[in-house]
């Protein structure tokens, strides 16, 4: 029987349903109504055209009316708004916006795919403002682009930190605007949990976006040029994008008596039918079942809408099909980071009263020994029976791949521990022999089989307040990254020999950097009768979760202009590649090239270390040079610096009383340790200080003299005994902990080579080249029988007076 099928809404679900209906039946009369001009457009790509990433506007138009009509023999009526539905007569009323004509159309089957609309609460002052926009369709995008093109926009404000808000934030920043984002919740991206979102907050701040959390928009003032927030704070803005969220576009359904459900979305059964059997609904406008617990929800995403569009066509044509629910798998790009999730978040599970367990891990995206590996932060949520309830990931590479794998396992009923058994493709550029997904499975298996008990990052502060016993099993050199207060420190490799130092009458809360060594320590302690719990995800998860926002005032018009006299365009621009270098390598490379440049000459430098963005600003300010541009492109920081000819900031300063005083700008260090890690620390500080323009002196005494040795010479008597105890040269130093007969030092050197960190002798040579003064204590040399020819040729010799003389001019003095 030939049917007359009407579809209301021509984007995503509606367009998919129309084309599938035609492929299944060549005879049916299929009419698609769209109140706007465009059908089947890529609304997820709208922000990227505003920012210029998608160059051609037409690339967003997946199908034209004419093309789709011809290919599928459809009757497509754009500019046609359905104004009423009569479910008893099976009729609709249609307004043609081009002609003004209103007419009725009967149907055998009706599909409602009206989608969602932007939430626009009645905020005082909105009516008088002309600089307020939302983004849902092509015309919205055109209006925003036109407004930016015609007005002097310097500061843009995003209200709301969901998908569209974050994408607009990034793309407005690409346009070199000052951007601020206001979010009423404690975090952006509500589909992931707070500690995962904190990584996004860090990256957002790094790009100079001011992020205001736990705050909302109360009122527009000064014709939209000022925003009064609920906190009382007032923001200046030239453009405001409302991205507060969306709500189902249910007007037609509500007015004709179609039953509504969760958030007033259209209630449908698993056949996508409403309470009227001839009327179906799909996409963002409908209530769906949450795949995790079958509770009603509304999840406005592209994949469910397209899937439902295909299924409803099958159902109408008598093909057995049903829609089982929505997992909510999603992914978004936030500058260089990718954030993806599937299933329920921890917050959702708590609200539903569902018991769950949590895993955090921080593996590399691929094998660490292959260049370009970057960390992925993964979180898995699962029930006591192993059922996967949700997963989240944040990182730069391979994030969505892992979430997709977990989402697939979840879809087909796989349990958390079964993730360990997934056979996943492996080669060093793509993964590890134990993929991060496998690692989640192994960890889940340990937890489900009582091999380890864990605590979460958000429990730490309360336990600290209760004077709980925390055991840090990291190595000494790791402690510089931070630690929990009052922790007992026993490195893992010493733990078995120091068990008598630990209390048997207290729970021991053990932690390492990312959780893996903490698990190993937990197993040791459990075997010896201790009550122990491991900090899930280690100190890294806690540190990420407790990040504190760093908003800075914007530089507003007139934008700072660099004097033409500062830049000489006739000079060749120097290009410097500092990618792959660890701090302070990039700054050191900049200084080496800048020393060879002429005043007014420009340098363009690239660095893969995101911290370089802040470092180059500080360095230029300190050394009297000028940063012209400083931005992140791809995965690199790209800065343009002009060599300045102004007075150096380190020569003198003029205080308010008008008296010129000398400004100390030296740095001195005493090195009396012969450990490689401590020598490395002294060289890194010295190189960084010298690169910042400081006059650096390092005074080596006693065991520290081993750092300066370049060769071994033949000796007699006590000098020979000392020579046996001292290393042969700077390449032979032990490390202070975990030396393991030299194996630890070899391991550190291997990692340094992988990470492109210079060996210690090379650092020493570089430090000498940029002016670091090396002084060997002659008294210590005499006591230990060290000859001058053993040491580097550039080393100076002196006593404590030589060191103290330089320390008088120093504002930095360290003992290592």
């Amino acid at each position: 029987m030939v049917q007359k099928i009407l579809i209301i809404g021509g984007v995503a679900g509606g367009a998919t349903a129309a084309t599938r209906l035609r492929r299944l039946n060549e005879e049916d009369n299929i009419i698609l109504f769209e109140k706007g001009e465009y059908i089947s457009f890529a609304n997820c790509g709208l922000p990227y055209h505003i920012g210029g990433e998608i160059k051609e506007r037409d690339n967003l138009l997946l199908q034209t009316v004419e093309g789709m009509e011809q290919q599928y023999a459809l009757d497509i009526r754009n500019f046609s708004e359905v104004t009423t539905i009569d479910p008893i007569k099976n009729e609709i009323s249609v307004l043609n916006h081009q002609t003004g004509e209103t007419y009725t159309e009967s149907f055998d089957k009706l599909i409602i795919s009206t989608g969602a609309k932007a939430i626009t609460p009645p905020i005082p002052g909105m009516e008088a403002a002309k600089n307020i926009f939302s983004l849902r369709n092509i015309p919205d995008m055109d209006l925003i682009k036109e407004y930016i093109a015609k007005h002097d926009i310097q500061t843009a404000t995003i209200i709301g930190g969901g998908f569209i808000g974050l994408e607009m934030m990034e793309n407005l920043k690409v346009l070199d605007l000052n951007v601020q984002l206001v979010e009423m919740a404690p975090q952006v991206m509500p589909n992931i949990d707070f500690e995962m979102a904190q990584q996004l907050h860090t990256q957002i701040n790094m790009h100079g976006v001011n992020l205001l959390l736990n705050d909302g928009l109360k009122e527009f003032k000064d014709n939209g040029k000022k925003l009064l927030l609920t906190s009382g704070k007032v923001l200046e803005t030239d453009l405001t994008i409302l991205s507060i969220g969306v709500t189902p576009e249910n007007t037609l359904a509500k007015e004709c008596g179609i039953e509504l459900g969760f958030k007033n979305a259209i209630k449908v059964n698993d056949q996508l039918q409403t309470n009227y059997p001839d009327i179906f609904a799909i996409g963002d406008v409908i209530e769906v079942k949450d795949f995790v617990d079958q509770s009603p929800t509304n999840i406005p995403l592209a994949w469910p809408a397209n899937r439902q569009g295909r299924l409803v066509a099958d159902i109408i044509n008598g093909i057995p099909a049903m829609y089982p629910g929505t997992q909510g798998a999603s992914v978004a790009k936030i500058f260089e980071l990718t954030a993806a999730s599937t299933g329920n978040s921890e917050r959702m599970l708590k609200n539903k009263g569902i018991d769950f367990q949590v895993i955090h891990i921080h593996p590399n995206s691929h094998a660490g020994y292959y260049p370009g590996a970057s960390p992925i932060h993964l979180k898995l949520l699962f029930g006591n029976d192993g059922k996967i309830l949700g997963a989240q990931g944040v990182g730069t590479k391979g994030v969505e791949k892992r979430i997709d794998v977990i989402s697939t396992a979840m879809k087909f009923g796989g349990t958390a521990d079964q993730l360990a058994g997934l056979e996943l493709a492996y080669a060093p550029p793509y993964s590890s022999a134990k993929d991060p997904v496998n690692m989640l499975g192994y960890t889940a298996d340990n937890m489900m089989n009582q091999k380890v008990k864990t605590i979460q990052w958000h429990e730490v502060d309360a336990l600290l307040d209760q004077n709980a016993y925390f055991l840090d099993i990291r190595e000494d050199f790791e402690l510089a990254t931070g630690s929990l207060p009052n922790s007992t420190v026993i490195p893992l490799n010493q733990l078995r020999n120091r068990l008598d130092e630990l209390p048997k009458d207290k729970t021991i809360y053990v932690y390492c950097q990312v959780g893996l060594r903490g698990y190993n320590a937990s197993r040791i302690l459990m075997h010896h009768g201790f009550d122990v719990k491991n900090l899930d995800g280690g100190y890294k998860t806690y540190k990420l979760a407790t990040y504190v926002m760093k908003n800075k005032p914007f530089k507003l018009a007139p934008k700072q202009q660099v004097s033409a006299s500062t830049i000489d365009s006739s000079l060749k621009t120097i290009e410097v590649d500092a990618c792959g270098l660890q701090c302070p390598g990039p700054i050191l490379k900049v200084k080496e090239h800048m020393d060879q440049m002429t005043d007014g000459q420009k340098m363009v430098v690239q660095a893969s270390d995101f911290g370089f963005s802040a470092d180059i600003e500080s360095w230029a300010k300190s050394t009297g040079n000028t940063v012209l541009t400083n931005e992140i492109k791809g995965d690199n920081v790209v800065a343009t610096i002009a060599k300045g000819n102004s007075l150096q900031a380190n020569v003198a300063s003029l205080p308010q009383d008008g008296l010129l005083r000398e400004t100390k700008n030296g740095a001195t260090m005493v090195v009396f340790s012969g450990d490689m890690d401590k020598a490395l620390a002294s060289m890194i500080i010295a190189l960084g200080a010298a690169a910042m323009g400081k006059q650096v002196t390092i005074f080596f005494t006693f065991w520290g003299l081993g750092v300066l040795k370049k060769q071994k010479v033949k000796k007699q008597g006590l000098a020979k005994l000392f020579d046996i105890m001292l290393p042969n040269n700077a390449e032979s130093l032990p490390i202070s902990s975990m030396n393991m007969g030299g194996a630890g030092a070899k391991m550190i050197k291997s990692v340094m080579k992988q990470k492109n960190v210079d060996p210690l002798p090379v650092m020493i040579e570089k430090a000498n080249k940029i002016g670091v003064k090396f002084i060997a204590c002659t008294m210590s040399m005499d006591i230990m029988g060290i000859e001058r020819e053993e040491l580097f040729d550039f080393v100076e010799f002196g006593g404590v007076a030589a060191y103290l003389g330089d320390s008088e001019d120093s504002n930095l003095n360290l003992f290592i």
Side-chain angles (χ1 to χ4, degrees):
M1 183 182 72
V2 176
Q3 297 188 89
K4 184 178 182 181
I5 305 170
L6 308 185
I7 304 171
I8 307 174
V11 182
T16 299
T19 55
R20 176 68 171 171
L21 284 166
R22 176 56 72 222
R23 286 192 291 266
L24 293 175
N25 189 305
E26 191 68 16
E27 305 299 325
D28 284 343
N29 182 14
I30 303 166
I31 307 174
L32 187 151
F33 299 90
E34 170 57 49
K35 69 179 179 180
E37 179 180 0
Y38 303 99
I39 61 164
S40 190
F41 61 86
N43 51 3
C44 295
L46 301 179
Y48 298 99
H49 181 58
I50 292 173
E53 186 71 21
I54 298 174
K55 304 295 183 186
E56 300 298 328
R57 179 179 182 274
D58 287 351
N59 289 346
L60 298 172
L61 305 176
L62 306 179
Q63 284 277 9
T64 64
V65 172
E66 296 78 12
M68 197 165 167
E69 281 184 329
Q70 291 173 6
Q71 184 175 352
Y72 294 100
L74 302 171
D75 182 355
I76 300 177
R77 305 179 188 178
N78 58 341
F79 297 110
S80 298
E81 181 178 0
V82 177
T83 54
T84 63
I85 300 172
D86 188 332
I88 306 302
K89 296 181 179 179
N90 277 19
E91 285 183 351
I92 64 170
S93 297
V94 184
L95 170 63
N96 185 317
H97 283 288
Q98 290 181 308
T99 66
E101 172 194 6
T102 298
Y103 61 95
T104 61
E105 199 76 59
S106 63
F107 62 83
D108 296 310
K109 295 289 188 289
L110 175 67
I111 301 172
I112 301 173
S113 182
T114 47
K117 59 185 176 182
I119 297 173
T120 52
I123 302 171
M126 182 183 292
E127 301 81 5
K130 304 297 183 185
N131 62 343
I132 304 169
F133 302 90
S134 59
L135 182 63
R136 287 291 296 170
N137 52 41
I138 296 281
D140 291 343
M141 177 192 74
D142 291 340
L143 286 172
I144 294 170
K145 280 184 68 69
E146 181 183 14
Y147 192 85
I148 292 173
K150 290 184 176 180
H151 297 80
D152 180 23
I153 306 299
Q154 293 190 66
T155 300
T157 306
I158 314 294
I159 307 296
F163 289 105
I164 296 295
L166 291 172
E167 289 165 358
M168 280 303 302
M169 168 201 73
E170 177 176 350
N171 282 281
L172 290 174
K173 193 66 185 172
V174 167
L175 296 178
D176 199 27
L177 302 180
N178 293 320
V179 179
Q180 50 200 4
L181 190 149
V182 180
E183 169 56 57
M184 191 175 293
Q187 66 173 81
V188 300
M189 193 164 282
N191 54 300
I192 65 176
D193 288 310
F194 177 76
E195 75 277 16
M196 304 297 285
Q198 280 280 65
Q199 298 163 67
L200 307 184
H201 300 161
T202 304
Q203 199 75 0
I204 289 168
N205 267 179
M206 185 181 295
H207 280 267
V209 174
N210 280 353
L211 186 56
L212 296 96
L213 301 172
N214 294 300
D215 213 342
L217 176 58
K218 183 177 182 180
E219 184 178 352
F220 289 100
K221 290 183 171 294
D222 192 16
N223 294 322
K225 291 291 186 180
K226 293 182 179 179
L227 307 177
L228 175 63
L229 305 186
T230 53
S231 64
K233 186 176 295 184
V234 177
L235 303 180
E236 304 280 345
T237 188
D238 301 311
L239 170 74
T240 299
I241 307 291
L242 294 179
S243 184
I244 299 171
V246 295
T247 187
E249 180 52 277
N250 62 6
T251 306
L252 286 170
K254 186 176 182 180
E255 289 178 350
C256 75
I258 291 176
E259 188 178 352
L260 304 180
F262 185 85
K263 286 189 177 179
N264 287 320
I266 296 175
K267 201 174 184 67
V268 295
N269 60 20
D270 60 10
Q271 302 288 295
L272 300 168
Q273 278 177 308
T274 68
N275 52 313
Y276 294 100
D278 292 331
I279 301 178
F280 300 78
I282 59 174
D284 296 355
V285 74
I286 70 169
E287 172 191 287
V288 296
K289 291 178 180 177
D290 186 321
F291 184 82
V292 170
D293 67 343
Q294 299 299 296
S295 63
T297 187
N298 172 249
I299 301 177
L301 291 170
W303 185 91
N306 281 281
R307 178 64 178 158
Q308 293 155 15
R310 180 184 175 93
L311 291 178
V312 75
D314 288 356
I315 291 164
I316 288 174
N317 279 276
I319 299 172
M322 60 173 288
Y323 187 71
T326 301
Q327 285 175 244
S330 62
V331 64
K333 176 181 178 294
I334 299 89
F335 295 113
E336 296 73 33
L337 293 180
T338 297
S341 69
T342 188
N344 283 188
S345 65
E346 182 172 342
R347 183 182 61 259
M348 292 171 66
L349 294 172
K350 285 179 178 178
N351 290 340
K352 294 176 179 181
I354 297 175
D355 291 334
F356 61 91
Q357 298 189 63
V358 184
I359 296 169
H360 294 85
I361 63 172
H362 307 275
N364 274 334
S365 56
H366 59 249
Y369 56 82
Y370 187 88
S374 60
I376 301 176
H377 310 289
L378 289 173
K379 178 176 184 177
L380 182 70
L381 299 143
F382 60 100
N384 294 328
D385 58 355
K387 178 182 177 182
I388 301 172
L389 304 174
Q392 300 161 32
V394 177
T396 57
K397 300 175 184 175
V399 175
E400 72 287 354
K401 168 186 173 181
R402 273 65 188 212
I403 296 301
D404 283 345
V405 169
I406 298 169
S407 188
T408 303
M410 182 178 173
K411 188 77 170 183
F412 294 110
T415 56
D417 55 321
Q418 288 175 340
L419 296 177
L422 293 181
E423 188 173 343
L424 303 173
Y426 160 63
Y430 305 105
S431 183
S432 300
K434 292 179 183 176
D435 189 85
V437 173
N438 299 139
M439 295 305 299
L440 287 170
Y442 288 125
T443 306
D445 178 72
N446 288 332
M447 293 174 65
M448 292 169 64
N449 290 289
Q450 305 299 309
K451 296 292 189 295
V452 66
K453 293 185 286 185
T454 62
I455 60 166
Q456 292 302 310
W457 67 269
H458 54 77
E459 300 176 80
V460 169
D461 288 345
L463 288 168
L464 288 171
D465 290 342
Q466 298 164 19
N467 295 317
Y469 190 93
F470 278 87
L471 175 62
D472 187 341
I473 52 91
R474 296 175 297 166
E475 299 296 327
D476 289 347
F477 67 89
E478 296 178 87
L479 304 182
T481 65
S483 61
L484 301 178
N486 302 318
S487 298
T488 298
V489 179
I490 301 178
L492 177 60
N493 65 337
Q494 301 177 22
L495 187 58
R496 287 185 177 88
N497 297 324
R498 297 175 61 180
L499 294 175
D500 57 349
E501 300 177 29
L502 301 176
K504 279 285 183 82
D505 59 344
K506 293 181 179 180
T507 299
I508 297 174
Y509 298 95
V510 64
Y511 69 96
C512 64
Q513 195 68 11
V514 297
L516 179 59
R517 285 172 293 166
Y519 164 69
N520 292 333
S522 296
R523 294 302 302 159
I524 293 171
L525 294 174
M526 289 173 71
H527 280 302
H528 287 85
F530 290 92
D531 180 24
V532 58
K533 294 183 179 181
N534 184 31
L535 175 57
D536 175 52
Y539 182 74
K540 187 169 188 175
T541 298
Y542 176 83
K543 187 176 180 180
L544 287 169
T546 52
Y547 169 77
V548 178
M549 216 66 60
K550 298 178 178 67
N551 293 330
K552 298 178 181 178
F554 292 137
K555 296 177 182 178
L556 299 176
K559 291 187 177 179
Q560 291 186 342
Q561 301 294 324
V562 179
S563 169
S565 62
T566 306
I567 304 170
D568 188 341
S569 58
S570 67
L571 296 172
K572 180 184 176 182
T573 297
I574 304 298
E575 295 189 2
V576 176
D577 185 358
C579 293
L581 297 180
Q582 301 290 329
C583 178
I587 287 293
L588 180 59
K589 200 160 189 177
V590 168
K591 183 187 185 303
E592 289 172 347
H593 283 81
M594 192 67 77
D595 286 346
Q596 308 302 316
M597 291 166 57
T598 304
D599 278 352
Q601 194 170 9
K602 289 195 297 183
M603 173 198 299
V604 177
V605 58
Q606 293 189 67
S608 53
D609 178 5
F610 288 152
F612 178 73
S613 179
D615 290 346
I616 191 63
E617 296 280 356
S618 299
W619 180 85
K621 183 178 179 181
S622 173
T623 57
N625 296 298
T626 307
V627 176
L628 304 177
T629 64
N630 184 7
E631 53 193 342
I632 296 178
K633 292 184 178 180
D635 291 338
N636 296 331
V637 177
V638 180
T640 305
I641 310 107
K643 183 162 184 176
N645 54 9
S646 57
L647 285 175
Q648 296 292 315
N650 58 5
V651 174
S653 60
L654 191 64
Q656 291 181 351
D657 59 14
L659 297 176
L660 190 66
R661 298 185 177 90
E662 182 183 3
T663 301
K664 293 183 177 182
N665 197 45
T668 52
M669 285 184 276
V670 177
V671 177
F672 50 83
S673 170
D675 294 328
M676 182 180 72
D677 44 337
K678 294 171 185 175
L680 283 169
S682 66
M683 286 305 110
I684 290 170
I685 295 169
L687 284 165
M692 294 292 287
K694 290 182 177 293
Q695 299 298 314
V696 181
T697 298
I698 313 180
F699 185 71
F700 294 84
T701 183
F702 286 99
W703 303 111
L705 290 167
V707 178
L708 298 180
K709 293 182 72 175
K710 67 172 183 178
Q711 63 186 5
K712 193 176 180 71
V713 299
K714 192 173 182 179
K715 299 179 183 178
Q716 299 294 328
L718 287 175
K720 185 175 182 178
L721 291 176
F722 274 111
D723 202 41
I724 293 171
M725 291 184 282
L726 283 169
N728 293 337
N729 50 51
E731 189 66 22
S732 306
L733 301 181
I735 59 173
S736 57
S737 297
M738 203 181 70
N739 192 49
M740 299 181 293
K746 289 180 181 178
M747 182 179 72
I748 292 294
K749 290 175 188 176
S750 174
V751 173
M752 287 169 63
K753 186 175 181 180
Q754 290 177 25
K755 301 297 184 181
N756 215 7
V757 178
D758 288 329
L760 180 58
V762 175
M763 283 192 183
I764 293 171
E765 294 280 2
K766 283 189 174 182
N768 170 61
K769 287 180 181 178
I770 64 169
V772 173
K773 185 192 293 186
F774 292 81
I775 301 178
C777 175
T778 51
M779 179 196 72
S780 300
M781 290 175 65
D782 188 46
I783 291 174
M784 303 175 77
I786 295 175
E787 303 293 337
R788 295 192 178 200
E789 58 266 29
E790 292 182 69
L791 309 184
F792 286 102
D793 295 336
F794 50 77
V795 173
E796 299 179 24
F797 303 94
V800 73
Y803 157 72
L804 292 175
D806 285 346
S807 69
E808 286 292 318
D809 296 322
S810 171
N811 58 5
L812 174 68
N813 196 14
L814 301 175
F815 291 83
I816 298 175

